[in-house]
Amino acid sequence: MSPTDALLSVLDLSPIPAGVDAGQALRNSVELAVAAEDLGYHRYWLAEHHLNPGVAGSAPHVLSALVAAATRTIRVGTAATILGNYRPLQVAENVGTLAAVFPDRIDLGFGRSGQPASPPASTGGEDLRTAGEPAPEDAGRVVAGLVVPAKRQPFSSVLPRKFRLQAELLGREPGDADNFESDVQDVIGFFDGGYRTRHGEGITVTPALGHAPQFWLHGSTAGPSARLAGKLGLRFGANYHVSPATVLESVAEYRAHFRPSAAVPEPYVTVSADVLVAEREQDARRLGAGFAAWVHSIRSGQGAIAYPAPADGGRLDAAVGSPELVRDRVETRFVGAPGTVTANLRALQRATGAQELLITTIAHGQAEQVASYGLLADAWARG
């Protein structure tokens, strides 16, 4: 597959720019989806994040409905629905409602929470003296032109209070991530009629039954999600933008465990990337200021801050403490003129063999985000 054969899709976190409220951020997402459809992007996916002051994307099923209603042909879905935050029946009914109203356009991406449901009671705040430090034996590397940084621990052994509070408010229970495989199979069973109760009874889940979305699993490591996606013959989303150090091994693990299914006869991969494009390199760098501070707010456990305006972004980036905590994300964000960014994306596609690339663009201004997606789509189509 040549790089330009790879489809381009969008992952939207619904970031809240500084000086803007959550309502406007969500309206921006709907507006951006309409623009992405007009630009020829294949999918528009919504993320799920909770208790983040600077991210409005916490209810992806609701937002998916708004986006699907505002668009005509682009596929719409979740990347990802974190199963531990819901009961499988709720997921099937919510997404089944969308798939019944918008047939052949809805995607359901399953995600497994990487955080324990109930960290030890003694946890307080994160110890940033150790978080983010690379393993001594891992210096990072370049593969087929792609930067694969050293593996780093995003959080220390002491998890931030936010995660404990989030688990409590969402009703998480210790060990519930261990139910991930059975939860995925239950949801799929509700759609295809294969679900059976413990007494062997079949049930009808309306409106899910007969209105199956396209199923995906998303993962950041060569762990349970990659293996399960392969085992079940599902499509797999690999997170270069979240965990660039482990993207190659996660894709390899998926392919090693892949078993063909009726819906997916061969391995199918999309890989995410942080991207920001402007006409000139220096303009892209200016618009990209604030990214390090924004990522640091997430990885330090406080929750995403409102995305800084360019005038403030450089100052905030320079003031970031514990730069090792964000170095991998900053070094693997593709920022620049169209030619520079497309070259980086081609390297990502070559190294991973992805059939799709999932682009997430965060800038303070809505016009700059839309322009970035437009410049990228045009450059990618021209090869």
Side-chain angles (χ1 to χ4, degrees):
M1 173 185 292
S2 68
T4 49
D5 287 335
L7 298 168
L8 294 183
S9 295
V10 176
L11 172 62
D12 182 15
L13 279 62
S14 302
I16 302 175
V20 172
D21 66 11
Q24 185 58 55
L26 293 168
R27 288 188 288 273
N28 286 349
S29 286
V30 176
E31 179 184 290
L32 182 59
V34 173
E37 180 177 70
D38 291 342
L39 291 167
Y41 284 84
H42 185 55
R43 307 176 196 273
Y44 198 90
W45 282 349
L46 290 312
E48 178 180 337
H49 295 284
H50 300 280
L51 305 185
N52 284 279
V55 172
S58 59
H61 305 140
V62 176
L63 191 51
S64 290
L66 297 175
V67 168
T71 54
R72 305 175 308 280
T73 58
I74 196 169
R75 298 195 65 89
V76 179
T78 60
T81 294
I82 308 302
L83 282 184
N85 297 341
Y86 311 88
R87 301 298 297 168
L89 179 61
Q90 292 175 296
V91 175
E93 290 176 335
N94 288 344
V95 177
T97 298
L98 290 174
V101 175
F102 304 102
D104 302 319
R105 287 186 58 202
I106 302 302
D107 300 334
L108 171 55
F110 298 109
R112 179 179 182 270
S113 174
Q115 298 297 338
S118 182
S122 61
T123 59
E126 182 186 9
D127 180 1
L128 297 182
R129 293 173 297 174
T130 57
E133 292 181 359
E137 70 279 5
D138 189 356
R141 62 199 191 280
V142 176
V143 178
L146 179 71
V147 174
V148 181
K151 293 180 182 179
R152 302 174 189 275
Q153 179 64 36
F155 302 101
S156 73
S157 58
V158 181
L159 287 174
R161 177 179 177 274
K162 182 175 91 75
F163 293 114
R164 293 186 288 116
L165 181 59
Q166 178 177 306
E168 176 185 334
L169 293 175
L170 290 172
R172 303 295 301 268
E173 297 177 356
D176 61 3
D178 296 338
N179 300 324
F180 183 62
E181 179 171 350
S182 61
D183 286 349
V184 169
Q185 292 181 319
D186 285 352
V187 172
I188 293 175
F190 291 144
F191 280 100
D192 66 17
Y195 178 84
R196 293 292 180 271
T197 69
R198 59 186 172 182
H199 303 295
E201 301 171 277
I203 62 172
T204 297
V205 176
T206 306
L209 186 63
H211 296 106
Q214 191 176 100
F215 297 111
W216 290 74
L217 258 75
H218 297 275
S220 298
T221 67
S225 295
R227 290 190 289 273
L228 183 59
K231 173 185 174 181
L232 298 182
L234 300 179
R235 296 167 176 85
F236 181 62
N239 297 325
Y240 182 71
H241 87 287
V242 171
S243 183
T246 57
V247 66
L248 297 183
E249 59 192 53
S250 69
V251 171
E253 188 79 353
Y254 163 67
R255 292 196 174 110
H257 288 80
F258 184 81
R259 300 176 188 172
S261 64
V264 189
E266 297 179 349
Y268 194 98
V269 174
T270 187
V271 178
S272 63
D274 279 313
V275 171
L276 183 59
V277 186
E279 289 281 6
R280 301 185 306 166
E281 202 88 16
Q282 58 266 41
D283 291 336
R285 297 290 170 188
R286 178 181 60 82
L287 293 172
F291 184 72
W294 186 78
V295 172
H296 188 273
S297 68
I298 297 169
R299 286 191 167 178
S300 65
Q302 71 184 82
I305 59 173
Y307 198 84
D312 300 322
R315 172 180 56 81
L316 293 174
D317 284 348
V320 164
S322 303
E324 287 299 319
L325 190 62
V326 301
R327 189 181 305 280
D328 60 331
R329 290 285 304 273
V330 173
E331 291 179 347
T332 57
R333 190 190 196 198
F334 302 150
V335 179
T340 301
V341 173
T342 53
N344 287 326
L345 288 172
R346 289 185 185 117
L348 177 62
Q349 194 276 329
R350 281 195 304 269
T352 60
Q355 286 89 345
E356 294 188 34
L357 297 176
L358 186 61
I359 309 303
T360 179
T361 292
I362 299 178
H364 180 266
Q366 173 77 341
E368 287 75 18
Q369 285 193 113
V370 173
S372 177
Y373 280 109
L375 290 167
L376 175 60
D378 181 63
W380 192 255
R382 288 187 281 106

